[in-house]
Amino acid sequence: MAERGLNSPVLPAIGLRGRIVLVALVLLVIPWAGYSYVSATEQLLREQQERQLAAAARAIAAALHDRPRLATLQEDSADGAMARAEVRTLLTGIARAGLRIWFVDRRLQLIAVAGDIAGDTGNAGAETTFGVVERTLRAVLRPLLARWLDTPALPAEEFIPDDVIFGGREVERALDGAVSIRRRPGPGGSPPIVSVTQPVWIGETVVGVAIVEESTAAAVSFRHRAIERLIAVTLVAFGAAALVLLLFASRLSLRLRRLRDEAEQAIDSRGNVRALVSASSARDEIGDLSRSFSLALKRLADTNAYLENLARRLAHELRTPIAVLRSSLDNLRLKGLPADSGVYLERAEDGLLRLDTVLTRMAEATRLEQTVRDSERERYDAAEVLAGCVAGYAAAYPDRRFELQLPGHPVMLSGAPQLYAQMLDKLAANATDFAEPGTPVKVALTMRGTTALLTVSNRGPRLPENLQLFESMQSAREKSAGEKQAPDIHLGLGLYIVRLVAEFHRGRATAADLADGSGVQITIELPTLVVD
């Protein structure tokens, strides 16, 4: 499972703000719901319009039904003329703006027309807005929406289509006594026109057909205005919601990043607690997390403090038993022992010496760690310190030869020169221990940009595998089976101290085999100060 997870493709990381913005995309369901609502409302308006037209047509037919004179509509007599005039008067009184009424007799002759469908298209209140932001947004979107939503044109039909009278099935069905509703395209690309044909009865005879028509421009105009407002309001709402969510996500992200940075800076590379995470007083999950981090780091700091003082406490506590053992062994030697017991006494003294050396080295390492943490920084020339130390190694290691390479200019560092000298001592001791007899230890200080490179190399065995050289209590020295234990005990603290000093100077220490495999080279990279 782990290998499959490592080999799986890495997906692009999405931050907290990006995820919340993606969640905000759920708001896009508002336009779809609004559009569905507008479409349903438009359909209801059309159905309501058809019912109103049907009711108007029934009212006209009922009004004409009570006029027996209409039976003479087709006659050329005076009664026929009066009947036609009576129909015109009635239709003119009933007609209104946006509504047109026709009356056709049984011979499909147009008797009367009243009203005009080019009335109000329902633009009243089209500019009603919810505020300046929406008004501005609608003004910007209107040219774009005009390409998608055709502006409803006013119907300019001033004639009666022949297909309505002579070829219209609705008129024929109405003459047969059936009511029909028709929706036909408007002239010149205008909105459709709804017409209702209603038969007019005189007794048991259909004497004519009343046709009531009205344009759907008002419904189409309502739809366009509603969609325009819906898009504007949705964009305003989406923008406001996205802004609020983005600010909220930014605040959460800022708090989480601050907590992460504090947690990363709280523990250094050696595992020491440098600072505690400030416990937040916020009463939320992030506040709880910061308080938990602060408590955990406090406990870790207490444990580290105990472990750091353990070596010093052990050295202090064991000094008395060691002194008792040493005095006891001295007394035994003074009293005189059998010859065969001398070897045991020598072994006991050797073990006691080793124990005392171990305690001394552990106490020195602990004190040095404390010194590294408490040392004050100053400017100093690393080349000068290096030259003085290497000059002293000639007396300290008479059997070894040191080759020194220095730059022709000062190498200014920010740190502690005494710690730098101690680091050099550990590197020199390590190199002389592993160097082959008769081979020199090469020490060089060079520059690579603004970085000072200190290299110490020696001919000898290669680096062991799987060994953390710069960790505490790690040693690559091996003792042969028949070799007597040397009094100079190595606890694996030398290169650990080298790493501590390098990190104090904001640098790093590395070790690698020489290119030809004949030895080892340790490199210290430290940032330098710019010298004017």
Side-chain angles (χ1 to χ4, degrees):
M1 296 295 292
E3 294 180 356
R4 183 172 60 182
L6 292 175
N7 296 330
S8 61
V10 179
L11 298 178
I14 301 178
L16 182 60
R17 283 174 289 187
R19 296 183 181 184
I20 292 185
V21 170
L22 291 178
V23 172
L25 294 178
V26 177
L27 295 176
L28 293 179
V29 74
I30 296 178
W32 174 81
Y35 181 79
S36 301
Y37 174 76
V38 170
S39 300
T41 303
E42 181 186 12
Q43 183 64 28
L44 292 176
L45 289 177
R46 291 180 178 180
E47 295 176 357
Q48 181 66 20
Q49 184 183 32
E50 293 177 357
R51 287 193 292 268
Q52 291 178 353
L53 292 180
R58 288 194 298 270
I60 294 173
L64 296 176
H65 178 74
D66 297 334
R67 302 174 188 273
R69 187 177 295 176
L70 296 181
T72 62
L73 280 174
Q74 300 177 3
E75 300 178 2
D76 294 332
S77 60
D79 291 339
M82 293 180 62
R84 289 189 288 271
E86 187 175 358
V87 171
R88 295 190 189 96
T89 302
L90 177 63
L91 297 185
T92 301
I94 296 177
R96 56 177 173 81
L99 187 69
R100 182 167 61 186
I101 306 175
W102 303 350
F103 188 84
V104 181
D105 62 9
R106 292 189 60 83
R107 292 179 299 181
L108 300 182
Q109 291 183 350
L110 182 62
I111 303 300
V113 176
D116 186 6
I117 61 174
D120 183 20
T121 59
N123 288 324
E127 298 302 324
T128 302
T129 61
F130 294 134
V132 179
V133 177
E134 182 193 350
R135 186 185 299 111
T136 304
L137 190 57
R138 290 176 63 181
V140 174
L141 293 176
R142 189 167 289 125
L144 300 177
L145 295 177
R147 301 180 181 180
W148 175 40
L149 302 175
D150 297 330
T151 303
L154 295 176
E157 188 177 58
E158 298 295 340
F159 60 91
I160 303 174
D162 292 338
D163 65 330
V164 173
I165 298 179
F166 299 104
R169 298 179 180 179
E170 292 78 9
V171 176
E172 296 178 359
R173 287 198 294 268
L175 292 176
D176 293 335
V179 180
S180 300
I181 298 177
R182 180 187 182 189
R183 187 181 298 272
R184 59 185 176 86
S190 61
I193 296 174
V194 179
S195 61
V196 177
T197 56
Q198 177 72 36
V200 179
W201 299 80
I202 299 296
E204 299 295 331
T205 305
V206 177
V207 297
V209 177
I211 304 174
V212 182
E213 290 189 329
E214 186 177 24
S215 174
T216 60
V220 174
S221 178
F222 163 79
R223 176 176 179 270
H224 291 181
R225 293 198 315 272
I227 292 178
E228 180 181 314
R229 177 176 296 180
L230 173 65
I231 294 177
V233 172
T234 299
L235 290 178
V236 172
F238 182 79
L243 180 61
V244 171
L245 289 176
L246 185 61
L247 293 177
F248 177 71
S250 299
R251 183 172 179 272
L252 287 181
S253 178
L254 179 62
R255 294 175 62 191
L256 290 175
R257 289 178 184 273
R258 185 184 299 119
L259 181 60
R260 181 205 61 187
D261 295 340
E262 290 182 358
E264 289 180 351
Q265 297 174 2
I267 302 178
D268 59 15
S269 60
R270 299 185 301 272
N272 297 323
V273 179
R274 295 186 296 187
L276 297 179
V277 174
S278 57
S280 174
S281 59
R283 297 183 178 180
D284 55 9
E285 289 78 2
I286 299 180
D288 293 340
L289 182 61
S290 68
R291 289 188 289 271
S292 298
F293 274 165
S294 179
L295 180 59
L297 287 175
K298 185 178 182 304
R299 293 174 178 173
L300 181 60
D302 295 340
T303 303
N304 283 346
Y306 171 78
L307 295 177
E308 290 173 358
N309 295 326
L310 182 60
R312 185 169 61 253
R313 293 177 180 175
L314 286 176
H316 176 73
E317 295 295 333
L318 293 177
R319 288 301 178 186
T320 300
I322 289 176
V324 173
L325 289 175
R326 180 174 288 111
S327 62
S328 299
L329 292 176
D330 293 340
N331 292 331
L332 286 176
R333 185 179 295 278
L334 292 175
K335 288 184 177 181
L337 294 175
D340 57 349
S341 299
V343 64
Y344 300 108
L345 182 60
E346 184 179 352
R347 290 178 182 177
E349 289 178 345
D350 183 64
L352 187 61
L353 177 60
R354 285 177 50 81
L355 180 59
D356 184 65
T357 304
V358 168
L359 294 177
T360 302
R361 295 288 177 83
M362 292 178 62
E364 289 177 354
T366 303
R367 285 195 298 269
L368 182 59
E369 290 182 2
Q370 187 68 31
T371 302
V372 170
R373 288 194 295 268
D374 298 338
S375 295
E376 295 183 358
R377 296 183 181 275
E378 61 178 279
R379 293 165 55 98
Y380 66 93
D381 184 5
E384 181 180 354
V385 176
L386 180 59
C389 290
V390 173
Y393 296 153
Y397 304 99
D399 297 335
R400 292 295 179 184
R401 180 167 53 92
F402 286 83
E403 295 181 0
L404 177 62
Q405 177 185 351
L406 292 175
H409 55 81
V411 179
M412 304 305 296
L413 301 180
S414 175
Q418 70 277 10
L419 293 180
Y420 192 82
Q422 290 187 21
M423 178 182 70
L424 293 174
D425 295 342
K426 299 300 180 182
L427 291 174
N430 184 80
T432 55
D433 287 344
F434 287 96
E436 295 178 353
T439 59
V441 175
K442 298 180 180 180
V443 181
L445 181 62
T446 58
M447 294 295 299
R448 187 179 63 190
T450 59
T451 302
L453 299 180
L454 172 64
T455 59
V456 178
S457 59
N458 63 273
R459 298 284 180 177
R462 305 181 65 174
L463 291 175
E465 297 181 359
N466 302 324
L467 182 63
Q468 302 294 330
L469 292 177
F470 296 97
E471 296 296 331
S472 178
M473 307 299 288
Q474 297 288 330
S475 178
R477 292 172 174 83
E478 297 181 356
K479 181 176 177 296
S480 61
E483 181 183 355
K484 180 180 179 181
Q485 181 63 52
D488 190 12
I489 302 171
H490 299 278
L491 302 180
L493 297 175
L495 294 183
Y496 172 67
I497 294 175
V498 169
R499 194 194 77 178
L500 293 182
V501 176
E503 291 178 351
F504 173 78
H505 287 80
R506 299 184 178 91
R508 64 170 185 161
T510 58
D513 293 325
L514 294 175
D516 57 1
S518 61
V520 175
Q521 175 176 289
I522 297 179
T523 304
I524 310 298
E525 302 179 22
L526 303 179
T528 61
L529 296 176
V530 178
V531 180
D532 297 332

